[in-house]
């Protein structure tokens, strides 16, 4: 013969299964969520690419300076090599040498100097970010190992719980079990409410003495809380 105590035990088993399922859902979300690491990795990759572009630009502009200086040197060789015949030709070459030298200085002063400062800042940022990413990846790996172990522990608890639940449920007639399941679905998993200090602990309403007595005397057909409609159980 089944009792309300057994029905209450069934609810306790169901609630524990629900709790474990909720924990598993949460654990799986945390296991799948590596968005912080992915975001940091993507940002670092973008900054590394920007750094490489800056280095390429630095190399090109350094080459430009070298080319200008080499051209100026060649012009100076012509200028002082004795092959100049006229003052006009000499002045033109001097102006061209000066132009090449000034253009080289402008690149050095206006571009390469600022680029060097920016490169140093970017290299320092990339170095710090690389260290932070490595730390995040280590922490993520440790967290995954921890969460995986917790998940395995939770999953190991299910077979025993489900077997216990099935054993209790099989003792009930289909009618009372169906009523329990309907209430459980409608009441956020709590079909039954314990009567404590003359109150229904499902809705915290003080119960009339007749309802408490009816709940105490109930056998096959549980008494229901007049407020929340849950099955009442007097422990």
């Amino acid at each position: 013969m089944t009792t309300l105590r057994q029905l209450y035990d069934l609810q306790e088993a169901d609630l524990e299964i629900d709790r474990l399922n909720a924990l598993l859902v949460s654990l799986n979300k945390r296991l799948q969520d590596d968005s912080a690491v992915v975001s940091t990795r993507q940002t670092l990759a973008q900054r590394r690419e920007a750094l490489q572009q800056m280095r390429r630009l630095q190399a090109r502009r350094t080459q430009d300076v070298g080319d200008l200086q080499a051209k100026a040197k060649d012009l100076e060789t012509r200028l002082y090599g004795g092959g100049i015949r006229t003052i006009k030709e000499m002045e033109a070459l001097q102006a061209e040498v000066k132009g090449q030298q000034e253009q080289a200085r402008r690149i050095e002063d206006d571009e390469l100097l600022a680029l060097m400062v920016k490169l140093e800042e970017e290299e320092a940022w990339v170095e710090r970010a690389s260290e932070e990413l490595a730390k995040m990846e280590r922490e993520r790996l440790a967290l995954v190992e921890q969460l995986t172990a917790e998940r395995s522990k939770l999953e190991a608890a299910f077979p025993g719980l489900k077997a216990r639940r099935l054993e209790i449920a099989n003792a009930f007639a289909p009618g009372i079990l169906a009523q329990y399941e309907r209430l459980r679905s409608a009441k956020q998993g709590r079909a039954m409410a314990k009567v404590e200090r003359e109150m229904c602990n499902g809705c915290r309403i003080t119960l009339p003495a007749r309802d408490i007595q009816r709940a105490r005397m109930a056998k096959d057909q549980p008494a229901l809380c007049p407020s929340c409609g849950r099955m009442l159980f007097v422990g």
Side-chain angles (χ1 to χ4, degrees), residues 168-188:
I168 298 171
N170 284 341
F172 287 93
I176 188 69
L177 200 58
Q179 183 184 10
Y180 164 82
E181 295 290 1
R182 284 195 301 272
L183 281 171
R184 178 170 150 74
S185 177
K187 302 294 181 181
Q188 294 77 50

Side-chain angles (χ1 to χ4, degrees), residues 45-55 119 122:
Q46 291 168 356
R47 296 288 285 266
R48 280 174 172 160
E49 176 58 28
L51 181 60
Q52 289 303 316
Q53 290 178 359
M54 289 168 63
R55 285 171 175 159
L119 266 169
E122 195 69 9

Side-chain angles (χ1 to χ4, degrees), residues 27-223:
L27 281 175
N28 285 328
K29 283 183 179 179
R30 292 176 68 190
L31 279 167
Q32 294 166 8
D33 183 16
D34 60 347
S35 56
V37 172
V38 170
S39 176
T40 301
R41 193 178 290 136
Q42 289 174 342
T43 299
L44 182 56
Q46 291 168 356
R47 296 288 285 266
R48 280 174 172 160
E49 176 58 28
L51 181 60
Q52 289 303 316
Q53 290 178 359
M54 289 168 63
R55 285 171 175 159
R56 287 193 287 270
L57 176 60
Q58 182 188 41
R60 286 197 303 271
R61 299 309 276 158
T62 299
Q63 181 64 47
D64 291 342
V65 169
D67 291 345
L68 289 166
Q69 290 173 338
K71 189 173 182 180
K73 188 174 181 179
D74 288 344
L75 290 170
E76 284 181 329
T77 299
R78 283 182 56 200
L79 183 63
Y80 301 112
I84 303 301
R85 301 298 181 186
T86 66
I87 296 296
K88 184 176 181 181
E89 187 179 358
M90 180 179 292
E91 289 175 345
L93 275 174
Q94 287 174 335
E96 192 172 353
V97 168
K98 184 178 180 181
Q100 298 292 325
Q101 291 172 338
E102 286 180 350
Q103 188 176 352
R105 280 195 296 272
R106 278 198 302 272
I107 293 174
E108 288 179 321
D109 295 344
D110 297 344
E111 295 184 44
L112 284 175
L113 185 59
L115 189 56
M116 185 181 300
V117 171
K118 192 172 181 182
L119 266 169
E120 288 177 355
E121 293 174 348
E122 195 69 9
E123 285 168 348
W125 187 95
V126 166
E127 184 178 357
R128 289 193 303 271
S130 298
E131 292 172 357
E132 180 62 25
L133 176 60
K135 179 183 176 184
M136 290 175 69
E137 288 174 335
R138 289 193 301 271
E139 291 174 348
R140 174 65 186 168
L141 181 60
L143 179 62
V144 167
E145 290 176 355
Q146 175 194 335
L147 294 177
T148 301
E150 290 179 14
R151 181 173 65 181
S152 297
K153 187 176 179 180
L154 286 175
E155 288 173 342
F158 273 101
L161 269 173
K162 289 181 177 179
R164 172 63 177 156
R165 198 260 180 208
L166 184 60
E167 179 185 354
I168 298 171
N170 284 341
F172 287 93
I176 188 69
L177 200 58
Q179 183 184 10
Y180 164 82
E181 295 290 1
R182 284 195 301 272
L183 281 171
R184 178 170 150 74
S185 177
K187 302 294 181 181
Q188 294 77 50
R190 293 183 178 272
M192 299 194 71
K194 207 169 186 178
V195 177
E196 296 177 322
R197 297 181 182 178
E198 301 181 347
M199 287 191 305
C200 166
N201 71 1
C203 60
R204 312 304 297 172
I205 296 297
T206 299
L207 296 166
R210 66 179 180 277
D211 290 323
I212 296 173
Q213 184 62 21
R214 189 160 54 245
R216 186 175 285 114
M217 299 298 294
K219 297 297 181 184
D220 297 331
Q221 187 60 40

